[in-house]
Amino acid sequence: MEQTILVTGSTSGFGRLTVETLARQGYRVFAGMRAAAGKNAPAAEELRALAQREALALQIVEIDVTDDTSVERAIAVIIETTGRLDVVVNNAGVSYSGPLEAFTLEQVQQQFDTNVFSVLRVNRAALPHMRKQGSGLLLQIGSIVGRLALPFLGLYGATKFALEGLTESYRYELAPFGIDAAIIEPGTYPTPISAKRQIAADTERAALYQDAIAAFATPFNAENRSATPPDPQEVADAVASVIAQPAGERPLHTVVATVAQRQAPQAVNDAVTQATRSFFETLDLPLATLALKGEKERKRT
Ligand SMILES: NC(=O)c1ccc[n+]([C@@H]2O[C@H](COP(=O)([O-])OP(=O)(O)OC[C@H]3O[C@@H](n4cnc5c(N)ncnc54)[C@H](OP(=O)(O)O)[C@@H]3O)[C@@H](O)[C@H]2O)c1
């Protein structure tokens, strides 16, 4: 049966590449975006033209992930159109950068609203349909900075750390319903995210960190700014690869990054998986151990 997939935040970057990749692989894809008739109309038009040119089952759905009504309407449109929803790729996100003390609480709330509360909002709208089907996949786009705490990305990183915990808990809770949860952990890739990023509002305090920010950012972003930057298509391919794996056997974590950025988050994943498994085994929780099945299989390869 043709699988129906919603990808949030598909105007640019990973989301855009992901909808194109999945549609070309034959999935029925809903490219979620806000302001599809407004500021994102050109992006929507490009995707519509692509769908027509290549005869793809790819259509736009309006979704502002920070808005309850918009999210509920988007899920309703998908269900009315196709009768099912097999995969949600929670990709929409923004990045706030700067020293932690220089963000206002309003900024902190906005950062968490887009990157964390929205994921809960979208998944809450999608899950009743997946439960009815007895299948589904919630696939979050995390980050290596959700595995390793770094300076000046602490606020953004905290949202990605939150997604790690949420994804694991979803996985254990939803396995009995036949629903999977997994997370992709990209390293830094040259997408429009840095151009769209929000800067800490208290510029006076941020200025106190100026030298340290430069000392961190220059090496951290070096690969992205090199003549051979990493290709964001790698993330779209990783999303497609996780979706294609059999239900219940998908890896919980998938790091997608250059060799330099891949090893440390992978080591964290392996350590967490091992510690979690032994914790569950000690407590004799077989269901939770089952939910880590994909991790075991990934480690063997
Ligand atoms: N690029 C990296 O290095 C990197 C690394 C790790 C993880 N990530 C994660 O990857 C995901 C995609 O980022 P990207 O790098 O591809 O950046 P991007 O090109 O800026 O894409 C972000 C997408 O999220 C959308 N979005 C933001 N707020 C939204 C809202 N309230 N409702 C609906 N859509 C919203 C944006 O739409 P608009 O065009 O309307 O703003 C855009 O389509 C994010 O979750 C990001 O945190 C990126």
Side-chain angles (χ1 to χ4, degrees):
M1 188 187 299
E2 187 184 58
Q3 287 197 63
T4 296
I5 302 177
L6 165 65
V7 180
T8 65
S10 57
T11 61
S12 60
F14 299 152
R16 170 73 180 260
L17 293 169
T18 299
V19 295
E20 293 182 9
T21 301
L22 294 172
R24 285 184 175 131
Q25 291 181 1
Y27 295 103
R28 175 145 203 175
V29 179
F30 286 82
M33 62 178 72
R34 59 179 168 182
K39 78 172 174 84
N40 289 325
E45 207 33 61
E46 281 168 27
L47 283 176
R48 282 193 200 100
L50 175 82
Q52 197 169 23
R53 206 166 51 242
E54 299 188 18
L56 304 175
L58 169 63
Q59 69 190 82
I60 308 297
V61 66
E62 171 76 29
I63 181 168
D64 180 337
V65 294
T66 61
D67 182 300
D68 285 351
T69 309
S70 173
V71 168
E72 279 156 24
R73 198 176 296 139
I75 301 295
V77 165
I78 294 169
I79 297 297
E80 276 159 25
T81 311
T82 66
R84 56 188 301 113
L85 178 54
D86 298 286
V87 181
V88 172
V89 182
N90 281 300
N91 167 77
V94 285
S95 157
Y96 283 56
S97 69
L100 283 168
E101 68 161 301
F103 291 106
T104 62
L105 253 294
E106 197 188 359
Q107 286 188 301
V108 172
Q109 280 159 352
Q110 287 164 351
Q111 172 69 106
F112 272 83
D113 196 13
T114 305
N115 287 17
V116 182
F117 304 152
S118 295
V119 172
L120 289 155
R121 185 178 288 117
V122 172
N123 291 347
R124 185 171 151 75
L127 277 169
H129 305 286
M130 292 182 170
R131 194 168 13 252
K132 217 176 284 171
Q133 291 162 194
S135 65
L137 167 64
L138 305 177
L139 185 52
Q140 276 64 247
I141 306 298
S143 169
I144 60 164
V145 303
R147 276 321 209 185
L148 305 163
L150 300 178
F152 316 120
L153 285 170
L155 178 55
Y156 172 71
T159 67
K160 298 300 186 180
F161 268 91
L163 290 188
E164 292 287 347
L166 291 173
T167 302
E168 281 196 49
S169 294
Y170 273 131
R171 189 163 166 114
Y172 308 135
E173 291 174 9
L174 295 172
F177 299 107
I179 300 168
D180 272 349
I183 187 162
I184 306 282
E185 300 159 344
T188 52
Y189 283 85
T191 69
I193 197 165
S194 38
K196 295 182 192 174
R197 81 184 187 281
Q198 301 288 321
I199 304 294
D202 189 335
T203 49
E204 219 168 280
R205 289 203 201 194
L208 301 172
Y209 295 83
Q210 212 171 357
D211 293 345
I213 292 173
F216 166 73
T218 306
F220 184 66
N221 294 316
E223 281 184 309
N224 258 7
R225 292 175 185 157
S226 73
T228 53
D231 182 357
Q233 180 63 39
E234 291 169 8
V235 175
D237 292 341
V239 168
S241 159
V242 169
I243 291 172
Q245 292 180 50
E249 293 181 17
R250 298 177 173 112
L252 171 55
H253 311 103
T254 303
V255 180
V256 191
T258 59
V259 176
Q261 292 195 355
R262 185 187 311 148
Q263 283 163 355
Q266 190 59 66
V268 174
N269 286 341
D270 292 344
V272 168
T273 298
Q274 210 171 2
T276 305
R277 189 178 300 134
S278 74
F279 180 79
F280 287 142
E281 278 164 4
T282 307
L283 296 183
D284 201 15
L285 288 167
L287 175 65
T289 307
L290 180 73
L292 289 166
K293 196 171 166 228
E295 288 291 275
K296 275 186 197 158
E297 298 200 348
R298 181 185 56 70
K299 281 188 73 183
R300 269 196 235 118
T301 57

PDB file of all heavy atoms in Angstrom, residues 138-164:
ATOM      1  N   LEU A 138       6.998   8.173  13.818  1.00  0.00           N
ATOM      2  CA  LEU A 138       7.277   9.571  14.165  1.00  0.00           C
ATOM      3  C   LEU A 138       8.787   9.744  14.051  1.00  0.00           C
ATOM      4  O   LEU A 138       9.539   9.134  14.821  1.00  0.00           O
ATOM      5  CB  LEU A 138       6.831   9.871  15.608  1.00  0.00           C
ATOM      6  CG  LEU A 138       5.377   9.567  15.951  1.00  0.00           C
ATOM      7  CD1 LEU A 138       5.121   9.846  17.436  1.00  0.00           C
ATOM      8  CD2 LEU A 138       4.425  10.389  15.077  1.00  0.00           C
ATOM      9  N   LEU A 139       9.217  10.533  13.085  1.00  0.00           N
ATOM     10  CA  LEU A 139      10.652  10.687  12.837  1.00  0.00           C
ATOM     11  C   LEU A 139      11.056  12.132  13.092  1.00  0.00           C
ATOM     12  O   LEU A 139      10.658  13.039  12.345  1.00  0.00           O
ATOM     13  CB  LEU A 139      10.959  10.264  11.392  1.00  0.00           C
ATOM     14  CG  LEU A 139      12.417  10.234  10.963  1.00  0.00           C
ATOM     15  CD1 LEU A 139      13.280   9.421  11.915  1.00  0.00           C
ATOM     16  CD2 LEU A 139      12.531   9.662   9.552  1.00  0.00           C
ATOM     17  N   GLN A 140      11.827  12.323  14.142  1.00  0.00           N
ATOM     18  CA  GLN A 140      12.237  13.674  14.524  1.00  0.00           C
ATOM     19  C   GLN A 140      13.595  14.023  13.885  1.00  0.00           C
ATOM     20  O   GLN A 140      14.451  13.145  13.746  1.00  0.00           O
ATOM     21  CB  GLN A 140      12.368  13.778  16.052  1.00  0.00           C
ATOM     22  CG  GLN A 140      11.076  14.053  16.779  1.00  0.00           C
ATOM     23  CD  GLN A 140      10.040  12.950  16.655  1.00  0.00           C
ATOM     24  OE1 GLN A 140       8.979  13.123  16.044  1.00  0.00           O
ATOM     25  NE2 GLN A 140      10.326  11.792  17.206  1.00  0.00           N
ATOM     26  N   ILE A 141      13.763  15.292  13.531  1.00  0.00           N
ATOM     27  CA  ILE A 141      15.089  15.754  13.108  1.00  0.00           C
ATOM     28  C   ILE A 141      15.743  16.419  14.317  1.00  0.00           C
ATOM     29  O   ILE A 141      15.373  17.529  14.717  1.00  0.00           O
ATOM     30  CB  ILE A 141      15.026  16.730  11.912  1.00  0.00           C
ATOM     31  CG1 ILE A 141      14.249  16.110  10.734  1.00  0.00           C
ATOM     32  CG2 ILE A 141      16.446  17.113  11.480  1.00  0.00           C
ATOM     33  CD1 ILE A 141      14.839  14.849  10.128  1.00  0.00           C
ATOM     34  N   GLY A 142      16.667  15.694  14.903  1.00  0.00           N
ATOM     35  CA  GLY A 142      17.411  16.207  16.059  1.00  0.00           C
ATOM     36  C   GLY A 142      18.666  16.897  15.578  1.00  0.00           C
ATOM     37  O   GLY A 142      18.659  17.630  14.580  1.00  0.00           O
ATOM     38  N   SER A 143      19.766  16.643  16.276  1.00  0.00           N
ATOM     39  CA  SER A 143      21.044  17.261  15.904  1.00  0.00           C
ATOM     40  C   SER A 143      22.143  16.622  16.738  1.00  0.00           C
ATOM     41  O   SER A 143      21.875  16.118  17.842  1.00  0.00           O
ATOM     42  CB  SER A 143      20.998  18.763  16.195  1.00  0.00           C
ATOM     43  OG  SER A 143      22.295  19.327  16.091  1.00  0.00           O
ATOM     44  N   ILE A 144      23.365  16.711  16.253  1.00  0.00           N
ATOM     45  CA  ILE A 144      24.474  16.258  17.111  1.00  0.00           C
ATOM     46  C   ILE A 144      24.568  17.144  18.356  1.00  0.00           C
ATOM     47  O   ILE A 144      25.061  16.707  19.380  1.00  0.00           O
ATOM     48  CB  ILE A 144      25.832  16.221  16.363  1.00  0.00           C
ATOM     49  CG1 ILE A 144      26.215  17.595  15.834  1.00  0.00           C
ATOM     50  CG2 ILE A 144      25.824  15.165  15.269  1.00  0.00           C
ATOM     51  CD1 ILE A 144      27.691  17.698  15.430  1.00  0.00           C
ATOM     52  N   VAL A 145      24.030  18.380  18.276  1.00  0.00           N
ATOM     53  CA  VAL A 145      24.068  19.227  19.477  1.00  0.00           C
ATOM     54  C   VAL A 145      22.929  18.872  20.447  1.00  0.00           C
ATOM     55  O   VAL A 145      22.770  19.520  21.477  1.00  0.00           O
ATOM     56  CB  VAL A 145      24.101  20.749  19.164  1.00  0.00           C
ATOM     57  CG1 VAL A 145      25.280  21.087  18.292  1.00  0.00           C
ATOM     58  CG2 VAL A 145      22.807  21.252  18.566  1.00  0.00           C
ATOM     59  N   GLY A 146      22.171  17.840  20.115  1.00  0.00           N
ATOM     60  CA  GLY A 146      21.246  17.230  21.067  1.00  0.00           C
ATOM     61  C   GLY A 146      21.901  16.051  21.770  1.00  0.00           C
ATOM     62  O   GLY A 146      21.285  15.384  22.595  1.00  0.00           O
ATOM     63  N   ARG A 147      23.148  15.782  21.420  1.00  0.00           N
ATOM     64  CA  ARG A 147      23.920  14.701  22.040  1.00  0.00           C
ATOM     65  C   ARG A 147      25.115  15.230  22.802  1.00  0.00           C
ATOM     66  O   ARG A 147      25.565  14.645  23.772  1.00  0.00           O
ATOM     67  CB  ARG A 147      24.396  13.717  20.958  1.00  0.00           C
ATOM     68  CG  ARG A 147      23.369  12.685  20.579  1.00  0.00           C
ATOM     69  CD  ARG A 147      22.642  12.222  21.783  1.00  0.00           C
ATOM     70  NE  ARG A 147      22.144  10.872  21.718  1.00  0.00           N
ATOM     71  CZ  ARG A 147      21.387  10.330  22.675  1.00  0.00           C
ATOM     72  NH1 ARG A 147      21.063  11.032  23.745  1.00  0.00           N
ATOM     73  NH2 ARG A 147      20.957   9.104  22.587  1.00  0.00           N
ATOM     74  N   LEU A 148      25.664  16.353  22.290  1.00  0.00           N
ATOM     75  CA  LEU A 148      26.848  16.981  22.889  1.00  0.00           C
ATOM     76  C   LEU A 148      26.508  18.436  23.167  1.00  0.00           C
ATOM     77  O   LEU A 148      26.034  19.136  22.270  1.00  0.00           O
ATOM     78  CB  LEU A 148      28.024  16.950  21.899  1.00  0.00           C
ATOM     79  CG  LEU A 148      28.409  15.578  21.358  1.00  0.00           C
ATOM     80  CD1 LEU A 148      29.273  15.735  20.118  1.00  0.00           C
ATOM     81  CD2 LEU A 148      29.151  14.786  22.422  1.00  0.00           C
ATOM     82  N   ALA A 149      26.730  18.883  24.384  1.00  0.00           N
ATOM     83  CA  ALA A 149      26.453  20.287  24.706  1.00  0.00           C
ATOM     84  C   ALA A 149      27.615  21.157  24.245  1.00  0.00           C
ATOM     85  O   ALA A 149      28.772  20.868  24.540  1.00  0.00           O
ATOM     86  CB  ALA A 149      26.253  20.441  26.206  1.00  0.00           C
ATOM     87  N   LEU A 150      27.299  22.184  23.464  1.00  0.00           N
ATOM     88  CA  LEU A 150      28.334  23.074  22.945  1.00  0.00           C
ATOM     89  C   LEU A 150      28.034  24.503  23.382  1.00  0.00           C
ATOM     90  O   LEU A 150      26.879  24.855  23.629  1.00  0.00           O
ATOM     91  CB  LEU A 150      28.362  23.003  21.408  1.00  0.00           C
ATOM     92  CG  LEU A 150      28.649  21.625  20.808  1.00  0.00           C
ATOM     93  CD1 LEU A 150      28.594  21.692  19.283  1.00  0.00           C
ATOM     94  CD2 LEU A 150      30.005  21.109  21.257  1.00  0.00           C
ATOM     95  N   PRO A 151      29.061  25.343  23.465  1.00  0.00           N
ATOM     96  CA  PRO A 151      28.801  26.744  23.824  1.00  0.00           C
ATOM     97  C   PRO A 151      28.126  27.496  22.677  1.00  0.00           C
ATOM     98  O   PRO A 151      28.324  27.156  21.505  1.00  0.00           O
ATOM     99  CB  PRO A 151      30.209  27.301  24.070  1.00  0.00           C
ATOM    100  CG  PRO A 151      31.110  26.438  23.250  1.00  0.00           C
ATOM    101  CD  PRO A 151      30.490  25.068  23.240  1.00  0.00           C
ATOM    102  N   PHE A 152      27.350  28.461  23.026  1.00  0.00           N
ATOM    103  CA  PHE A 152      26.701  29.403  22.087  1.00  0.00           C
ATOM    104  C   PHE A 152      25.650  28.737  21.192  1.00  0.00           C
ATOM    105  O   PHE A 152      25.078  29.374  20.325  1.00  0.00           O
ATOM    106  CB  PHE A 152      27.753  30.174  21.271  1.00  0.00           C
ATOM    107  CG  PHE A 152      28.871  30.651  22.152  1.00  0.00           C
ATOM    108  CD1 PHE A 152      30.194  30.251  21.942  1.00  0.00           C
ATOM    109  CD2 PHE A 152      28.600  31.460  23.254  1.00  0.00           C
ATOM    110  CE1 PHE A 152      31.203  30.659  22.807  1.00  0.00           C
ATOM    111  CE2 PHE A 152      29.609  31.865  24.121  1.00  0.00           C
ATOM    112  CZ  PHE A 152      30.918  31.463  23.895  1.00  0.00           C
ATOM    113  N   LEU A 153      25.466  27.439  21.405  1.00  0.00           N
ATOM    114  CA  LEU A 153      24.348  26.725  20.777  1.00  0.00           C
ATOM    115  C   LEU A 153      23.551  26.035  21.877  1.00  0.00           C
ATOM    116  O   LEU A 153      22.834  25.076  21.640  1.00  0.00           O
ATOM    117  CB  LEU A 153      24.877  25.684  19.779  1.00  0.00           C
ATOM    118  CG  LEU A 153      25.406  26.248  18.466  1.00  0.00           C
ATOM    119  CD1 LEU A 153      26.116  25.164  17.658  1.00  0.00           C
ATOM    120  CD2 LEU A 153      24.269  26.858  17.641  1.00  0.00           C
ATOM    121  N   GLY A 154      23.720  26.551  23.093  1.00  0.00           N
ATOM    122  CA  GLY A 154      23.130  25.894  24.261  1.00  0.00           C
ATOM    123  C   GLY A 154      21.617  25.904  24.256  1.00  0.00           C
ATOM    124  O   GLY A 154      20.983  24.913  24.633  1.00  0.00           O
ATOM    125  N   LEU A 155      21.024  26.999  23.804  1.00  0.00           N
ATOM    126  CA  LEU A 155      19.555  27.074  23.797  1.00  0.00           C
ATOM    127  C   LEU A 155      18.988  26.159  22.710  1.00  0.00           C
ATOM    128  O   LEU A 155      18.104  25.334  22.967  1.00  0.00           O
ATOM    129  CB  LEU A 155      19.112  28.527  23.582  1.00  0.00           C
ATOM    130  CG  LEU A 155      17.602  28.742  23.505  1.00  0.00           C
ATOM    131  CD1 LEU A 155      16.882  28.189  24.729  1.00  0.00           C
ATOM    132  CD2 LEU A 155      17.285  30.232  23.333  1.00  0.00           C
ATOM    133  N   TYR A 156      19.537  26.300  21.515  1.00  0.00           N
ATOM    134  CA  TYR A 156      19.125  25.437  20.400  1.00  0.00           C
ATOM    135  C   TYR A 156      19.379  23.973  20.772  1.00  0.00           C
ATOM    136  O   TYR A 156      18.519  23.107  20.593  1.00  0.00           O
ATOM    137  CB  TYR A 156      19.929  25.839  19.158  1.00  0.00           C
ATOM    138  CG  TYR A 156      19.769  24.948  17.962  1.00  0.00           C
ATOM    139  CD1 TYR A 156      18.584  24.919  17.240  1.00  0.00           C
ATOM    140  CD2 TYR A 156      20.828  24.149  17.528  1.00  0.00           C
ATOM    141  CE1 TYR A 156      18.452  24.104  16.119  1.00  0.00           C
ATOM    142  CE2 TYR A 156      20.711  23.340  16.416  1.00  0.00           C
ATOM    143  CZ  TYR A 156      19.531  23.311  15.708  1.00  0.00           C
ATOM    144  OH  TYR A 156      19.406  22.508  14.610  1.00  0.00           O
ATOM    145  N   GLY A 157      20.572  23.718  21.320  1.00  0.00           N
ATOM    146  CA  GLY A 157      20.926  22.345  21.700  1.00  0.00           C
ATOM    147  C   GLY A 157      19.958  21.778  22.729  1.00  0.00           C
ATOM    148  O   GLY A 157      19.610  20.599  22.677  1.00  0.00           O
ATOM    149  N   ALA A 158      19.512  22.621  23.650  1.00  0.00           N
ATOM    150  CA  ALA A 158      18.577  22.138  24.683  1.00  0.00           C
ATOM    151  C   ALA A 158      17.286  21.636  24.035  1.00  0.00           C
ATOM    152  O   ALA A 158      16.687  20.649  24.488  1.00  0.00           O
ATOM    153  CB  ALA A 158      18.279  23.246  25.683  1.00  0.00           C
ATOM    154  N   THR A 159      16.857  22.294  22.963  1.00  0.00           N
ATOM    155  CA  THR A 159      15.634  21.810  22.288  1.00  0.00           C
ATOM    156  C   THR A 159      15.887  20.452  21.641  1.00  0.00           C
ATOM    157  O   THR A 159      15.010  19.594  21.600  1.00  0.00           O
ATOM    158  CB  THR A 159      15.123  22.803  21.207  1.00  0.00           C
ATOM    159  OG1 THR A 159      16.049  22.883  20.110  1.00  0.00           O
ATOM    160  CG2 THR A 159      14.881  24.188  21.788  1.00  0.00           C
ATOM    161  N   LYS A 160      17.106  20.257  21.141  1.00  0.00           N
ATOM    162  CA  LYS A 160      17.402  18.984  20.478  1.00  0.00           C
ATOM    163  C   LYS A 160      17.641  17.875  21.510  1.00  0.00           C
ATOM    164  O   LYS A 160      17.314  16.710  21.269  1.00  0.00           O
ATOM    165  CB  LYS A 160      18.597  19.145  19.533  1.00  0.00           C
ATOM    166  CG  LYS A 160      18.341  20.148  18.386  1.00  0.00           C
ATOM    167  CD  LYS A 160      17.174  19.740  17.496  1.00  0.00           C
ATOM    168  CE  LYS A 160      17.007  20.642  16.285  1.00  0.00           C
ATOM    169  NZ  LYS A 160      15.876  20.241  15.427  1.00  0.00           N
ATOM    170  N   PHE A 161      18.208  18.250  22.689  1.00  0.00           N
ATOM    171  CA  PHE A 161      18.293  17.279  23.791  1.00  0.00           C
ATOM    172  C   PHE A 161      16.878  16.854  24.180  1.00  0.00           C
ATOM    173  O   PHE A 161      16.621  15.684  24.461  1.00  0.00           O
ATOM    174  CB  PHE A 161      18.990  17.896  25.016  1.00  0.00           C
ATOM    175  CG  PHE A 161      20.485  17.681  25.052  1.00  0.00           C
ATOM    176  CD1 PHE A 161      21.362  18.600  24.493  1.00  0.00           C
ATOM    177  CD2 PHE A 161      21.026  16.562  25.676  1.00  0.00           C
ATOM    178  CE1 PHE A 161      22.738  18.411  24.538  1.00  0.00           C
ATOM    179  CE2 PHE A 161      22.400  16.360  25.727  1.00  0.00           C
ATOM    180  CZ  PHE A 161      23.260  17.287  25.153  1.00  0.00           C
ATOM    181  N   ALA A 162      15.970  17.809  24.218  1.00  0.00           N
ATOM    182  CA  ALA A 162      14.578  17.489  24.581  1.00  0.00           C
ATOM    183  C   ALA A 162      13.987  16.494  23.583  1.00  0.00           C
ATOM    184  O   ALA A 162      13.301  15.542  23.967  1.00  0.00           O
ATOM    185  CB  ALA A 162      13.739  18.766  24.630  1.00  0.00           C
ATOM    186  N   LEU A 163      14.278  16.693  22.302  1.00  0.00           N
ATOM    187  CA  LEU A 163      13.739  15.775  21.285  1.00  0.00           C
ATOM    188  C   LEU A 163      14.280  14.352  21.463  1.00  0.00           C
ATOM    189  O   LEU A 163      13.589  13.375  21.158  1.00  0.00           O
ATOM    190  CB  LEU A 163      14.067  16.267  19.874  1.00  0.00           C
ATOM    191  CG  LEU A 163      13.339  17.518  19.386  1.00  0.00           C
ATOM    192  CD1 LEU A 163      13.640  17.756  17.911  1.00  0.00           C
ATOM    193  CD2 LEU A 163      11.827  17.411  19.595  1.00  0.00           C
ATOM    194  N   GLU A 164      15.518  14.260  21.945  1.00  0.00           N
ATOM    195  CA  GLU A 164      16.084  12.922  22.197  1.00  0.00           C
ATOM    196  C   GLU A 164      15.245  12.184  23.235  1.00  0.00           C
ATOM    197  O   GLU A 164      14.833  11.043  23.026  1.00  0.00           O
ATOM    198  CB  GLU A 164      17.534  13.043  22.705  1.00  0.00           C
ATOM    199  CG  GLU A 164      18.525  13.548  21.686  1.00  0.00           C
ATOM    200  CD  GLU A 164      18.867  12.513  20.618  1.00  0.00           C
ATOM    201  OE1 GLU A 164      18.529  11.321  20.781  1.00  0.00           O
ATOM    202  OE2 GLU A 164      19.463  12.901  19.599  1.00  0.00           O
TER     203      GLU A 164
END
